[in-house]
Amino acid sequence: VNLLLPPGLSLIANPLSYTNNTLAFWMPLVPDGAQVYKFTPGRFEVSTFDAIDSGWSNPNLDVSIGTGFYFHNPSTNVLALTFVGELLQGELVNPLPAGISTKGALVPQDGSINTVHNIPGESGDEIRGFTNDLQGAGAYEVSVYTAGQGWLPDIQLAPGQGSWIQKQHPQDW
C-alpha cells in the first residue's frame, strides 16, 4: 500500500501485517525533523527523526497493523511511504477501547465507515477523519453515531488512512 504524505500533518495507519512493526523499519529515511505522534491512553508517544544520526528518537515505537498515528512531514516535498506485508484473512478484530484511540482498518480498502469498514458505534460515539490541506495544516471531518442511522456524515476512509475514535464503551471492530 502506497501513501503520499504531503507537507504538514497526516493521520495514517499501517494497513498490512508484517513481522517487523517498528517505526525504524517502516520509515527508515524521512526528512530531518519528521515526527510521529502515537496516541496511547492519556498521552502521545512522540518520536523525532534526526538526519545527522539517521534515526528516530524512539526507533522501536510500535506501529502494528490497525494502529493509527500522526506523521508530521516538515519538508516542502510530498513523501512516498510504502507498506509491505500480508493481507490478513479470516475473522479479524481491532479492539476499540472506551475513550479515545487512533485506529486504522485491518483490511486496506477504500470506502464508507458504515458499509465498507463497518465500524461499530453507539449513540454519541465520534470518529474524526483528518485531511491534510496540502498547505501544511488540515482539518477534521467529524462523524457522530446515531442509533438507527449509523455514522453521520458517512466518512470515506482510504487504505492506510487513520482515524481518531472516541467511544463511550469498548467494542470490537
Side-chain angles (χ1 to χ4, degrees):
V1 174
N2 296 307
L3 299 180
L4 296 177
L5 305 173
L9 200 61
S10 296
L11 178 52
I12 64 175
N14 179 355
L16 297 171
S17 178
Y18 197 73
T19 55
N20 188 341
N21 290 301
T22 64
L23 181 58
F25 173 77
W26 287 118
M27 298 181 180
L29 294 173
V30 294
D32 186 45
Q35 291 188 304
V36 164
Y37 311 93
K38 178 185 167 188
F39 187 79
T40 55
R43 67 183 185 91
F44 278 98
E45 293 180 66
V46 180
S47 189
T48 303
F49 190 81
D50 184 334
I52 294 172
D53 293 335
S54 294
W56 290 94
S57 59
N58 183 359
N60 295 319
L61 184 68
D62 179 55
V63 289
S64 297
I65 185 170
T67 302
F69 57 96
Y70 292 90
F71 176 79
H72 181 258
N73 178 358
S75 76
T76 57
N77 301 316
V78 174
L79 176 69
L81 173 63
T82 300
F83 285 100
V84 295
E86 295 181 32
L87 186 62
L88 294 178
Q89 303 292 316
E91 186 174 328
L92 307 176
V93 176
N94 194 350
L96 303 175
I100 296 169
S101 63
T102 50
K103 295 288 185 170
L106 296 177
V107 177
Q109 52 190 349
D110 192 14
S112 155
I113 60 176
N114 281 306
T115 59
V116 173
H117 293 287
N118 297 309
I119 300 174
E122 299 175 304
S123 290
D125 289 351
E126 289 186 6
I127 292 179
R128 296 171 186 250
F130 185 81
T131 302
N132 183 310
D133 68 2
L134 308 179
Q135 308 283 321
Y140 286 99
E141 182 177 10
V142 179
S143 182
V144 177
Y145 193 88
T146 303
Q149 296 180 18
W151 296 101
L152 299 173
D154 188 7
I155 296 174
Q156 305 294 302
L157 292 180
Q161 183 177 358
S163 57
W164 174 278
I165 301 175
Q166 186 164 357
K167 307 234 355 104
Q168 297 172 63
H169 302 98
Q171 286 184 298
D172 287 336
W173 170 18

